[in-house]
Amino acid sequence: MPKFFAMAGFALLAALVLGSSPAYAHAALVSADPGYGAHLARVPSRVSLTFNENVATPAYVAVTAPDGSPIKIGKIVILNHTVSATLGASDMKGKYSLSYRVVSADSHPVEGTTTFTVTTGRTVKQVTSNEKSFTHRHKAHLFWGLAGAIIALTLLLWPLRKSRS
């Protein structure tokens, strides 16, 4: 009888895994211009972000200079998969942060940051970022996922234990 429950549990798990439909994810950044980590002689006059699916309004773009000050953003244009914006001038040398927040086709907001470095201009004191790592931002999700996996494994393997007579 315990083997029957173990086999039934395994069959149910297999049906759930194999029978599930694909999950449709939110928009993901495919490329940026300037590219992540790019080294440029001067600040570009325009930035663009390309996603793996169409994005909708509103879309926000922000560029931060090496000293932490914002760079003026002109008109933001959304065309299918691409969001672009014109940038104001900056004469600072160092690492710039290009942050975005868009609405994906499934109406969920998506945000992120990419960086590029300008190699000429006046030198300023770099501002360090206080960004949290993926693990730090999602520690609760990781904890509950691991706890759920342990409970599921325990419930699946429980019938296989040797019964004491």
Side-chain angles (χ1 to χ4, degrees), residues 49-164:
L49 303 159
T50 303
F51 297 89
N52 65 339
E53 65 181 43
N54 287 347
V55 293
T57 57
Y60 302 98
V61 175
V63 177
T64 306
D67 68 350
S69 64
I71 301 296
K72 185 176 184 204
I73 301 293
K75 184 176 180 184
I76 297 174
V77 177
I78 301 170
L79 183 60
N80 298 326
H81 294 43
T82 305
V83 175
S84 59
T86 56
L87 296 183
S90 175
D91 65 346
M92 290 179 243
K93 175 171 119 174
K95 187 181 278 188
Y96 287 73
S97 295
L98 168 59
S99 299
Y100 60 89
R101 182 176 171 94
V102 297
V103 178
S104 60
D106 64 358
S107 75
H108 286 89
V110 177
E111 59 186 36
T113 301
T114 182
T115 61
F116 60 92
T117 301
V118 173
T119 57
T120 60
R122 67 183 170 96
T123 304
V124 295
K125 183 179 178 190
Q126 290 281 134
V127 174
T128 57
S129 174
N130 290 332
E131 286 186 38
K132 296 178 182 176
S133 68
F134 175 84
T135 306
H136 187 76
R137 287 188 318 243
H138 298 285
K139 64 183 172 187
H141 298 113
L142 295 171
F143 170 78
W144 288 111
L146 183 61
I150 290 170
I151 291 170
L153 189 60
T154 302
L155 290 174
L156 286 172
L157 296 177
W158 187 261
L160 299 177
R161 73 187 192 327
K162 291 184 179 181
S163 60
R164 295 181 182 171

